[in-house]
């Protein structure tokens, strides 16, 4: 399957793209699968930076149907639930009666909102058939993709999307499609991960074949203003971490990008690269010396990233993950099977490689308190 090549900056077609780094042999999907390993597709991730705007973007991207062939985000755990609860409250402050959600996933956000606002209406756009349709009064589920050709055929009080913008291959086109179709009094409310925080803290779920653009808060603010969205309110959710935006239509503004954005983004990205390589080297030293059983946590990008960057998996028994969607399957791009952390129960002299970013504490607490309090974590 051929890749799609970005030859220009998404923000400035006249700008020169400067290559920053290449992560080699990265899997196309971050999901778990039952397909033969020989069917997995890998490709180098080449990251470039726009010299005029400071936007970092992936040069070669896979077709969407390959990247999202196998769903993987079932939002297990309290971190995601707490996020949806807070976002639902944030939306309630704006009091929309009718909402249209793009990329609704399992539908939890809409269910939370309607559970407190029973007379309101929620229309959810979610094409993936793995997620069951929500059976709830005033909730409508549409199995469709949102793209530049999609027509929003009704007037809504609010257009919602949560952790969708960073997945768009062209976030500017995505936002313009919304802007061009909504009324002046329609709210545009969304949540987006704080990607600068992700990269600054060496979280490997920040940039990948799904998050192909380094959408920092500074750049998102500029993009919104340039398109014509006025920011009404912004709220920070630290646990995930992410940013909630409430915006409305206004007049487009001319935007200038400071050279400091380029300097700051380039530095944080290169520091991120150095940190990842150092982590793998340190982990391999621990793996080589350890005499007990070793497990790797995360049927996800965290494990793929470590493995693609040289993690020694010869002594790793399997991958652990709390998601029933992943257990019993193989992590795409690897030979490792995924099992429940419950298999750690009763084991002695056990180490778990844990590089699960913002989920580390939740995962450690669960294993310590409910499964095995003698586990050694390498995090």
């Amino acid at each position: 399957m051929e890749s799609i090549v970005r030859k220009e900056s998404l923000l400035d077609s006249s700008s020169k793209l400067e290559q920053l780094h290449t992560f080699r042999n990265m899997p196309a999907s971050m999901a778990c699968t039952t397909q033969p390993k020989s069917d997995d597709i890998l490709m180098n991730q080449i990251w470039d930076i726009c010299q005029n705007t400071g936007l970092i973007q992936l040069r070669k991207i896979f077709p969407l149907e390959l990247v999202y062939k196998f769903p993987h985000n079932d939002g297990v755990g309290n971190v995601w639930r707490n996020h949806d609860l807070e976002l639902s409250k944030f939306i309630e402050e704006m009091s929309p009666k009718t909402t249209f959600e793009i990329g609704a996933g399992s539908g939890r956000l809409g269910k939370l909102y309607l559970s407190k606002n029973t007379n309101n209406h929620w229309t959810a756009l979610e094409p993936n058939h793995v997620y069951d349709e929500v059976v709830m009064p005033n909730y409508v589920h549409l199995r469709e993709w949102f793209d530049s050709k999609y027509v929003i055929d009704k007037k809504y009080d609010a257009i919602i999307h949560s952790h969708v913008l960073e997945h768009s291959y062209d976030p500017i086109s995505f936002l313009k499609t919304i802007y061009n179709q909504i009324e002046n009094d329609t709210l545009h409310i969304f949540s987006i991960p704080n990607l600068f925080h992700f990269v600054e803290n060496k979280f490997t779920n920040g940039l990948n074949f799904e998050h192909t653009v380094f959408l920092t808060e500074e750049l998102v603010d500029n993009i919104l203003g340039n398109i014509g969205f006025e920011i009404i309110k912004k709220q920070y959710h630290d646990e995930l971490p992410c940013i909630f935006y409430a915006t409305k239509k206004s007049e487009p503004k001319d935007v200038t990008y400071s050279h400091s954005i380029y300097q700051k983004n380039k530095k944080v990205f290169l520091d991120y690269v150095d940190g990842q390589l150092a982590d793998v080297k340190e982990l391999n030293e621990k793996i080589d010396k350890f005499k007990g059983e070793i497990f790797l946590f995360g049927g996800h990008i965290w494990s793929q990233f470590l493995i693609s960057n040289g993690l020694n998996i010869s002594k790793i028994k399997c991958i652990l993950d709390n998601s029933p969607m992943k257990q019993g399957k193989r992590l795409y791009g690897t030979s490792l099977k995924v099992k429940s952390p419950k298999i750690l129960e009763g084991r002695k002299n056990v180490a778990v490689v844990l590089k699960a970013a913002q989920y580390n504490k939740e995962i450690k607490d669960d294993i310590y308190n409910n499964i095995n309090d003698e586990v050694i974590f390498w995090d």
Side-chain angles (χ1 to χ4, degrees):
M1 189 172 289
E2 290 189 10
S3 62
I4 303 161
V5 181
R6 290 174 172 148
K7 297 180 180 179
E8 298 179 340
S9 165
L10 292 172
L11 288 184
D12 186 350
S13 59
S14 66
S15 177
K16 181 181 178 182
L17 289 174
E18 172 189 346
Q19 183 173 335
L20 290 179
H21 185 74
T22 299
F23 292 113
R24 301 195 175 278
N25 298 319
M26 296 297 294
S29 168
M30 61 178 72
C32 296
T33 178
T34 57
Q35 75 175 18
K37 187 175 183 294
S38 58
D39 290 345
D40 295 353
I41 298 175
L42 286 75
M43 183 170 69
N44 290 347
Q45 283 186 1
I46 306 169
W47 292 96
D48 296 323
I49 186 168
C50 171
Q51 293 184 336
N52 286 351
T53 67
L55 180 72
I56 295 174
Q57 60 187 50
L58 193 57
R59 184 183 303 177
K60 293 182 179 181
I61 54 180
F62 283 115
L64 288 169
E65 59 267 25
L66 175 60
V67 176
Y68 297 100
K69 181 178 181 180
F70 308 107
H72 60 82
N73 185 12
D74 46 357
V76 297
N78 290 327
V79 172
W80 269 111
R81 179 169 179 79
N82 291 343
H83 166 274
D84 289 350
L85 282 167
E86 288 303 311
L87 181 56
S88 178
K89 292 177 184 176
F90 183 78
I91 297 169
E92 279 187 66
E93 292 175 13
M94 312 295 159
S95 304
K97 302 297 183 185
T98 58
T99 58
F100 180 82
E101 184 185 7
I102 301 167
S106 65
R108 181 164 60 194
L109 181 61
K111 287 188 285 186
L112 286 169
Y113 188 77
L114 289 180
S115 67
K116 292 186 176 181
N117 303 272
T118 55
N119 293 324
N120 292 0
H121 294 263
W122 192 283
T123 299
L125 199 66
E126 174 51 56
N128 203 310
H129 284 72
V130 168
Y131 299 114
D132 294 331
E133 290 196 16
V134 176
V135 180
M136 194 174 187
N138 301 336
Y139 189 105
V140 177
H141 191 137
L142 303 177
R143 299 260 189 214
E144 299 176 52
W145 283 95
F146 184 86
D147 56 25
S148 60
K149 298 178 182 178
Y150 190 85
V151 177
I152 303 174
D153 59 0
K154 295 180 182 178
K155 184 183 183 304
Y156 295 92
D157 294 334
I159 305 297
I160 311 286
H161 50 94
S162 174
H163 293 256
V164 173
L165 182 63
E166 69 275 14
H167 290 263
S168 172
Y169 281 177
D170 190 341
I172 293 85
S173 174
F174 178 93
L175 292 171
K176 283 183 177 178
T177 300
I178 295 172
Y179 180 87
N180 290 333
Q181 296 193 63
I182 62 175
E183 303 292 334
N184 290 336
D185 59 348
T186 299
L187 294 168
H188 170 228
I189 304 170
F190 65 96
S191 174
I192 186 171
N194 188 338
L195 289 181
F196 192 90
H197 179 94
F198 274 50
V199 174
E200 187 176 37
N201 287 275
K202 313 298 188 293
F203 293 176
T204 53
N205 53 340
L207 296 173
N208 44 64
F209 282 127
E210 291 193 7
H211 299 175
T212 66
V213 183
F214 189 29
L215 289 175
T216 66
E217 178 182 3
E218 198 168 13
L219 288 172
V220 171
D221 288 358
N222 283 343
I223 291 167
L224 288 169
N226 186 245
I227 290 172
F229 282 114
E230 177 186 347
I231 300 171
I232 304 171
K233 187 174 182 181
K234 191 190 291 187
Q235 180 174 309
Y236 299 91
H237 179 75
D238 294 332
E239 188 179 19
L240 198 50
C242 59
I243 309 167
F244 300 161
Y245 281 86
T247 72
K248 66 177 183 180
K249 285 187 77 168
S250 184
E251 291 298 317
K253 299 177 181 177
D254 291 330
V255 173
T256 56
Y257 293 89
S258 167
H259 187 65
S260 64
I261 301 176
Y262 162 84
Q263 294 172 316
K264 181 166 54 177
N265 288 354
K266 180 177 179 178
K267 182 182 186 305
V268 78
F269 182 87
L270 294 178
D271 287 347
Y272 163 81
V273 172
D274 291 341
Q276 301 307 328
L277 300 179
D279 276 354
V280 170
K281 181 180 179 181
E282 181 181 342
L283 286 169
N284 282 342
E285 290 172 356
K286 291 180 178 179
I287 290 170
D288 185 56
K289 295 175 182 177
F290 193 69
K291 302 304 181 183
E293 293 182 302
I294 304 172
F295 297 84
L296 174 60
F297 198 99
H300 195 45
I301 184 66
W302 310 309
S303 297
Q304 292 174 326
F305 200 91
L306 290 171
I307 294 168
S308 293
N309 281 285
L311 184 74
N312 176 12
I313 62 171
S314 63
K315 294 172 67 176
I316 291 176
K317 305 282 287 186
C318 69
I319 290 174
L320 306 175
D321 201 289
N322 288 311
S323 170
M325 180 189 289
K326 301 174 182 180
Q327 293 164 5
K329 298 178 182 178
R330 177 182 59 82
L331 178 60
Y332 190 104
T334 79
S335 57
L336 295 172
K337 292 290 184 70
V338 179
K339 297 183 180 181
S340 167
K342 292 178 181 178
I343 68 168
L344 297 175
E345 189 172 358
R347 294 178 187 254
K348 305 292 183 180
N349 199 23
V350 173
V352 174
V353 177
L354 179 64
K355 293 290 182 180
Q358 65 270 48
Y359 306 99
N360 272 12
K361 184 181 185 303
E362 180 180 6
I363 293 165
K364 288 174 70 173
D365 288 350
D366 177 56
I367 291 175
Y368 274 144
N369 297 331
N370 302 312
I371 300 173
N372 187 336
D373 62 3
E374 297 185 16
V375 171
I376 299 167
F377 285 98
W378 295 336
D379 58 350

